[in-house]
Amino acid sequence: MRSLFLSFSLLLPAEMKSFIRKRVAAYLIAGLLCMLLGSTKVSGAVPNKLVVETLRLNGNWTLKNKNGSLTLTAAVPGCVHSALLKQGLIQDPYYRFNDLEYRWIALDNWTYSRTFSLSSELRKRKKFNLVCEGLDTVSTISINGVAIGKTDNMFRRYTFDVTGLLKENNVIEVSFLSAVAYAAQQSAAHTSYKVPPDCPPAVQKGECHANFIRKAQCSFSWDWGPSFPTQGIWRAIKVEAYDVFQLTYLTTTPVYDPSINQWSVEVELFFDVAEMAVGHVTLLIPQLETQKTFEATLQPGLSRSTFLLPINKSMPVEPWWPNGQGNQSRYKLGVMVKTAGGHTLEAQTMVSFRTVELVQEPVAGSPGLSFYFKINGRPVFLKGSNWIPADAFQDRVTPDVLRRLLQSAADANMNTLRVWGGGIYEQEEFYDICDELGIMIWQDFMFACALYPTESSFITTVREEVIHQVRKLKSHPSIIIWSGNNENEAAIATDWFNVPLSKRQIYRNDYVTLYVNNIREIVQNEDKSRPFLASSPTNGDESVQEGWIAQNPYDPHYGDTHFYSYLEDCWDWKLFPKTRFASEYGFQSWPSFSTLQKISAPEDWSYSSNFTDHRQHHLSGNKEMLQQASLHFSLPASPDPLQHYKDTLFLTQVMQAQCVKMQTEFYLRSRSEIREGKGHTMGALYWQLNDIWQGPSWSSIEYGGKWKMLHYFAQNFFAPILPVALEDEEILLIYAVSDLQKDVSLSVVIKVYQWNSMEPVYVFASNSTEVQAGSATLAYKEPVKELLGRCGNCTRRSCLVTFHLEESGGQLGPANYHFLSSPKQAEGLQKPKLSATVEQQGGQYTVNLQTNAISPFVWLDAGDISGRFETNGFLMLTKNMTVTFYPWIPTSTSQLAKSLQLTSLMSLS
């Protein structure tokens, strides 16, 4: 048709040629869309269509323990704990002390079984595979009494050839071995040398030898979560039947050639081939009027074919951008495979066009190397947090749960999450949502805070894990980097495990074997489009030069750093590392009372209760929170025990929010400067975004989705443009931090208040300062003494400073504040009379606040009504203020008014 059109067009005027070309293209595209972008399953009524029949085995199975004393129905996907809970055989595992009460579940061996039938039509297929997307973790699988395979890795997809084994009626059994017992056995069998750590710290109340099993490391406990070493079929399980071949992976990688301004897409098709096939592969992106056909030969067995699809240069390509930087454009790509015998197979996927580069190069005025990301050639400051598993029981992590958490990250102006290496590779919906929202992913492989064995069986299963995960995930534009592990370079370099000097080389060799010679090798073979780091924190290229383990992986002149300091004053910015990239830092807090109330009893509602102590898995964590809070705030003094407990929970959130704010703002303003050879910080990912259960942690979102005060603060300190302040040698400096894509001329408007008055005693607007796109620019500088000298009777203790940025007389970005002294030393700060009324505005609710005095850290709590406020934890300087509440579940004005509780810092006195 294309040749016919070209011949015919020679006879027509230019205008008619253009008209016909467009109409023909439209018809071709419409037809091919119908043909290529439909379901990959095709009705048997269509001749010569290759059909991969899928019999899904999800649903109800029979579950029993080793001695047969328990037999019950269990949902698949799912786990043993969830099945026991659903059948009423156990309470909520998160309730009170049940993590200890239910240890027996993980120590037993459990077997899943069910029957399934194959129709006579299906049994005519030539090839049958049992495909297990996720088995947790150590199991033996049998069909009709015949053992077909074993598993030892919850992160792998296992495929077993069951051709010739299936009948009309079949029985499948998946017999699991206790992960705790297996890990202990593997450790005991490793007799040549120890592979530490043996067990987690006692305060974590966990299980031992997590590093000897390829399972979520935090399922054996962590310092923010419980020990629930689950067993079960945690992802899909199915029988796939076909005749000629089937498509097992379909990946896309955008490729940009700047020399000719040309985008292409590298498409990889992975097949399981029953019989050799010769034919053609057609690739099509209708939106870009791009199509090409390639010859292909598929050899029997596992086959991999790679094609490069050049994009029509006459069509503008919209790139994928991170949140806040532009649109998240995606395109449908259709695939049709047609064999010489006339068989066809169709599939579709999404492709996004973006490039990523990790820049490590010399920095003017500083030793070391830079460490920052360019997306589509543009330097981007990575701002966000770290992601942990959203539940110990993954069957409870629904797409709605993921959507709410990830939307909350985007709503707080985040553009990055680091998927931490002690959890899981997340489900497909997680990455789909991140693609949609523009949340970049720093993807760890699942190794954390431990040394690992390197015998051949362990390396083999890890290699299969990594190959599968890279192929499954590489098409997502949101993933911008692969990282080999969490903190294991640092663990060796700084000798976390007290290894004798004579034996340290053993572990260094193991490290290189696992992360460099295997994981890195696979990543570079499977995905050349993203950078790879062996660890986090790391010195990056400098670590490579030092044999992959740097002498000091926390060196702020290179790479990324993790930094925690709980007892030193978090308001002292000079204590923070002026690093190139801050990938972990943070402070603990407790969740709200409404969250804890669901899994506790009245006798637990005290900061000194056994429950409070039990739930804290970080050594001295409860004490550290109060010590840090007491540096700047008066501790709760209510004589009522329950109110005292609630006030203490609230104060830990105030402390956490303020501490992380101080540290994050330090990193934000360090992006454009070098001080004492350090600086050019280009990333701030605090620890951590979400919770795995209801307990104290570093999170900014509680289990269940409720925002802590920190998350509301993040909404401000990650804003596209904001002012941040610091004092240096009694001089007040205010920076304008901009993530905008254009230069702006900004002035700083400063207001000074006395704590005992809601009217500012001094207002000042600075001269305009040119603030370049993507920079932090000093916009105001003045000694505090001179500023206060213009404010009447102001002293450090009696006054505070607020400030915002203005462009052409209009405010740009959020306002901010600077305390001239600790609030506990403030003079004139009064206990306010806070009140509120609630009105409905469509699907939202307006909370009208009133106060008679300046109110720091005003907190609105809707109790069990799921939703979030427009802003929260704020400094209220006006008598009246309106805040919008966005409910996530249906509610009413009366319900919200009844549940609403108001707190501020002075409520604690």
Side-chain angles (χ1 to χ4, degrees):
M1 183 180 290
R2 186 176 180 85
S3 299
L4 178 62
F5 167 72
L6 290 174
S7 301
F8 178 66
S9 69
L10 294 174
L11 306 175
L12 299 175
E15 294 83 357
M16 185 64 73
K17 290 180 188 178
S18 175
F19 173 77
I20 293 176
R21 183 182 294 112
K22 290 178 181 177
R23 294 302 297 267
V24 169
Y27 285 127
L28 283 172
I29 290 166
L32 285 167
L33 263 174
C34 293
M35 180 173 66
L36 294 181
L37 301 184
S39 169
T40 58
K41 280 194 171 183
V42 183
S43 167
V46 181
N48 296 323
K49 276 290 169 71
L50 283 177
V51 178
V52 178
E53 296 279 4
T54 299
L55 177 64
R56 302 189 184 280
L57 300 180
N58 296 351
N60 288 331
W61 290 51
T62 297
L63 175 65
K64 63 181 180 180
N65 64 340
K66 183 177 181 180
N67 66 11
S69 60
L70 284 173
T71 301
L72 60 148
T73 299
V76 169
C79 70
V80 174
H81 289 80
S82 294
L84 292 169
L85 177 62
K86 187 174 182 179
Q87 297 298 322
L89 297 173
I90 62 172
Q91 291 180 305
D92 180 358
Y94 285 176
Y95 183 70
R96 301 195 76 206
F97 306 93
N98 281 346
D99 53 318
L100 297 185
E101 292 293 325
Y102 297 151
R103 278 193 69 206
W104 60 271
I105 299 172
L107 300 178
D108 206 343
N109 300 331
W110 297 83
T111 297
Y112 283 76
S113 63
R114 66 164 289 172
T115 62
F116 64 94
S117 300
L118 298 182
S119 68
S120 58
E121 191 67 27
L122 184 58
R123 295 200 304 278
K124 294 178 182 178
R125 299 296 174 194
K126 295 178 181 178
K127 181 74 181 288
F128 294 84
N129 287 332
L130 177 69
V131 180
C132 309
E133 297 286 354
L135 297 177
D136 181 13
T137 294
V138 182
S139 74
T140 300
I141 306 164
S142 65
I143 291 182
N144 299 328
V146 178
I148 62 168
K150 296 178 179 292
T151 73
D152 62 3
N153 188 326
M154 76 177 289
F155 305 125
R156 285 178 59 181
R157 178 168 76 179
Y158 288 91
T159 300
F160 303 102
D161 187 345
V162 292
T163 307
L165 188 61
L166 300 180
K167 304 178 295 186
E168 180 179 358
N169 297 307
N170 304 274
V171 177
I172 182 172
E173 282 194 349
V174 183
S175 300
F176 288 97
L177 176 66
S178 163
V180 177
Y182 174 84
Q185 292 168 8
Q186 296 300 110
S187 176
H190 197 283
T191 56
S192 53
Y193 56 92
K194 293 178 69 66
V195 183
D198 285 335
C199 301
V203 69
Q204 292 183 17
K205 310 162 189 71
E207 303 292 355
C208 300
H209 310 299
N211 51 339
F212 275 89
I213 184 170
R214 292 309 298 141
K215 177 175 173 59
Q217 300 290 272
C218 65
S219 69
F220 278 48
S221 80
W222 216 261
D223 58 0
W224 36 253
S227 175
F228 285 113
T230 47
Q231 294 177 49
I233 304 172
W234 76 295
R235 285 186 172 164
I237 184 169
K238 57 194 173 184
V239 173
E240 293 182 342
Y242 58 98
D243 291 326
V244 183
F245 59 83
Q246 70 163 335
L247 187 64
T248 56
Y249 299 96
L250 165 57
T251 73
T252 61
T253 304
V255 180
Y256 181 67
D257 186 343
S259 64
I260 57 173
N261 190 29
Q262 171 80 54
W263 280 103
S264 301
V265 182
E266 183 182 86
V267 180
E268 289 184 294
L269 306 178
F270 297 83
F271 297 100
D272 189 351
V273 182
E275 58 184 53
M276 190 179 82
V278 177
H280 298 86
V281 174
T282 299
L283 305 177
L284 169 73
I285 304 179
Q287 293 163 279
L288 297 177
E289 297 183 11
T290 295
Q291 176 190 342
K292 188 172 182 180
T293 299
F294 305 84
E295 293 184 356
T297 300
L298 307 182
Q299 299 293 341
L302 299 180
S303 171
R304 177 179 186 170
S305 300
T306 303
F307 308 98
L308 190 66
L309 176 65
I311 301 302
N312 184 345
K313 291 188 71 174
S314 67
M315 297 298 294
V317 174
E318 294 186 5
W320 182 95
W321 287 102
N323 183 29
Q325 296 285 319
N327 296 325
Q328 290 74 52
S329 300
R330 296 180 291 173
Y331 298 87
K332 287 183 179 179
L333 182 142
V335 179
M336 182 170 70
V337 183
K338 187 173 183 179
T339 70
H343 298 293
T344 61
L345 181 145
E346 299 169 9
Q348 70 174 32
T349 188
M350 303 299 293
V351 61
S352 295
F353 295 90
R354 71 103 186 86
T355 62
V356 56
E357 179 185 1
L358 175 57
V359 182
Q360 299 181 77
E361 60 188 14
V363 178
S366 172
L369 299 171
S370 66
F371 190 93
Y372 67 94
F373 289 84
K374 282 185 177 180
I375 306 298
N376 301 324
R378 179 192 299 168
V380 175
F381 190 102
L382 272 57
K383 49 188 184 181
S385 189
N386 286 258
W387 174 274
I388 66 168
D391 205 296
F393 312 111
Q394 279 295 308
D395 50 286
R396 303 202 295 204
V397 184
T398 64
D400 286 345
V401 169
L402 292 175
R403 168 70 64 176
R404 185 166 295 169
L405 288 168
L406 293 172
Q407 186 65 57
S408 291
D411 288 345
N413 295 305
M414 296 184 183
N415 63 23
T416 307
L417 291 174
R418 173 172 170 255
V419 176
W420 168 76
I424 62 169
Y425 307 94
E426 281 296 334
Q427 52 189 287
E428 199 76 17
E429 287 86 352
F430 173 90
Y431 300 97
D432 286 340
I433 297 169
C434 289
D435 292 345
E436 175 193 334
L437 297 178
I439 298 176
M440 295 179 286
I441 297 298
W442 174 311
Q443 179 67 55
D444 281 0
F445 289 97
M446 294 300 120
F447 302 85
C449 300
L451 307 182
Y452 289 86
T454 56
E455 56 260 42
S456 60
S457 60
F458 190 85
I459 292 294
T460 296
T461 196
V462 166
R463 288 183 66 88
E464 291 298 320
E465 165 192 330
V466 172
I467 289 170
H468 168 59
Q469 294 297 338
V470 173
R471 290 178 182 175
K472 185 181 76 168
L473 299 177
K474 64 176 286 189
S475 300
H476 290 281
S478 53
I479 298 176
I480 62 166
I481 188 169
W482 304 105
S483 179
N485 65 73
N486 173 76
E487 299 186 342
N488 294 344
E489 178 185 345
I492 295 175
T494 59
D495 193 24
W496 286 11
F497 306 118
N498 300 312
V499 175
L501 186 61
S502 61
K503 295 186 177 181
R504 291 181 188 175
Q505 192 59 43
I506 295 173
Y507 302 104
R508 297 177 72 93
N509 292 342
D510 281 355
Y511 181 93
V512 173
T513 295
L514 179 57
Y515 303 113
V516 181
N517 298 341
N518 283 283
I519 294 177
R520 176 175 177 268
E521 175 195 272
I522 291 169
V523 171
Q524 291 189 329
N525 181 56
E526 296 286 338
D527 181 16
K528 297 180 176 63
S529 70
R530 297 172 177 85
F532 172 85
L533 293 174
S535 187
S536 174
T538 183
N539 288 352
D541 285 351
E542 175 60 22
S543 287
V544 176
Q545 293 299 314
E546 295 183 42
W548 297 97
I549 300 175
Q551 183 177 357
N552 175 23
Y554 298 100
D555 190 334
H557 300 96
Y558 302 93
D560 68 315
T561 59
H562 298 184
F563 177 81
Y564 297 95
S565 178
Y566 305 117
L567 298 181
E568 294 181 297
D569 186 356
C570 75
W571 290 28
D572 184 356
W573 59 268
K574 294 182 180 179
L575 298 174
F576 306 138
K578 203 170 182 68
T579 177
R580 305 292 194 216
F581 193 107
S583 53
E584 274 195 36
Y585 60 96
F587 295 83
Q588 275 197 319
S589 72
W590 276 85
S592 62
F593 179 72
S594 64
T595 294
L596 289 171
Q597 190 175 15
K598 297 179 179 68
I599 45 83
S600 59
E603 59 264 38
D604 302 326
W605 300 339
S606 163
Y607 203 72
S608 58
S609 70
N610 290 335
F611 171 81
T612 300
D613 181 64
H614 172 77
R615 216 69 170 185
Q616 176 58 264
H617 285 192
H618 170 65
L619 188 63
S620 301
N622 291 334
K623 180 180 178 182
E624 288 173 352
M625 279 185 269
L626 294 188
Q627 284 183 289
Q628 182 64 236
S630 68
L631 294 178
H632 298 286
F633 305 103
S634 298
L635 297 183
S638 174
D640 176 69
L642 180 57
Q643 189 60 49
H644 191 280
Y645 178 61
K646 292 179 179 179
D647 289 347
T648 304
L649 300 179
F650 167 76
L651 186 61
T652 67
Q653 291 205 21
V654 172
M655 176 276 297
Q656 179 198 39
Q658 186 67 15
C659 283
V660 176
K661 174 183 185 290
M662 300 289 287
Q663 194 164 354
T664 304
E665 290 182 349
F666 168 78
Y667 295 135
L668 291 167
R669 67 173 174 78
S670 297
R671 70 170 70 184
S672 301
E673 67 180 13
I674 295 292
R675 285 195 181 192
E676 299 177 349
K678 302 172 187 176
H680 279 312
T681 305
M682 284 296 288
L685 310 178
Y686 66 76
W687 185 269
Q688 66 209 59
L689 180 77
N690 57 311
D691 264 332
I692 197 170
W693 73 339
Q694 308 92 334
S697 81
W698 293 255
S699 76
S700 63
I701 301 178
E702 300 175 8
Y703 181 85
K706 191 172 190 174
W707 289 20
K708 290 182 177 178
M709 190 178 294
L710 170 56
H711 207 76
Y712 287 101
F713 275 38
Q715 195 175 25
N716 282 341
F717 60 61
F718 283 146
I721 192 159
L722 78 156
V724 300
L726 74 148
E727 279 191 52
D728 190 11
E729 304 296 332
E730 301 286 326
I731 297 174
L732 178 65
L733 301 98
I734 297 177
Y735 288 73
V737 179
S738 172
D739 276 321
L740 302 179
Q741 281 89 62
K742 63 177 183 177
D743 298 348
V744 287
S745 184
L746 300 174
S747 60
V748 180
V749 177
I750 294 175
K751 296 181 180 180
V752 181
Y753 289 83
Q754 290 186 319
W755 282 112
N756 62 4
S757 173
M758 303 183 79
E759 294 295 328
V761 295
Y762 178 69
V763 179
F764 168 78
S766 71
N767 294 327
S768 293
T769 300
E770 194 70 17
V771 179
Q772 294 184 346
S775 72
T777 303
L778 182 62
Y780 171 84
K781 178 180 180 180
E782 184 178 18
V784 174
K785 186 176 181 180
E786 292 183 15
L787 174 62
L788 292 180
R790 300 197 299 275
C791 301
N793 296 324
C794 265
T795 66
R796 280 188 170 273
R797 294 193 175 191
S798 66
C799 292
L800 75 152
V801 178
T802 70
F803 48 93
H804 65 265
L805 299 172
E806 288 192 356
E807 180 186 31
S808 303
Q811 182 171 332
L812 198 62
N816 209 337
Y817 56 83
H818 177 69
F819 294 140
L820 297 170
S821 68
S822 299
K824 72 176 184 179
Q825 298 172 329
E827 296 175 351
L829 189 56
Q830 303 166 14
K831 189 169 185 176
K833 293 180 180 178
L834 279 169
S835 62
T837 58
V838 178
E839 298 176 359
Q840 186 169 0
Q841 300 286 338
Q844 304 167 3
Y845 294 84
T846 298
V847 179
N848 302 301
L849 290 166
Q850 299 85 37
T851 184
N852 64 340
I854 288 180
S855 303
F857 304 103
V858 172
W859 182 247
L860 313 178
D861 193 325
D864 288 332
I865 299 177
S866 184
R868 72 169 181 88
F869 291 92
E870 173 189 5
T871 185
N872 216 342
F874 46 84
L875 175 64
M876 190 168 176
L877 296 165
T878 57
K879 293 181 179 180
N880 299 286
M881 183 174 174
T882 298
V883 176
T884 301
F885 178 72
Y886 305 99
W888 294 331
I889 59 174
T891 187
S892 66
T893 302
S894 59
Q895 286 177 317
L896 181 57
K898 183 178 179 180
S899 297
L900 186 65
Q901 296 182 11
L902 306 179
T903 309
S904 74
L905 186 65
M906 297 308 292
S907 303
L908 311 188
S909 58

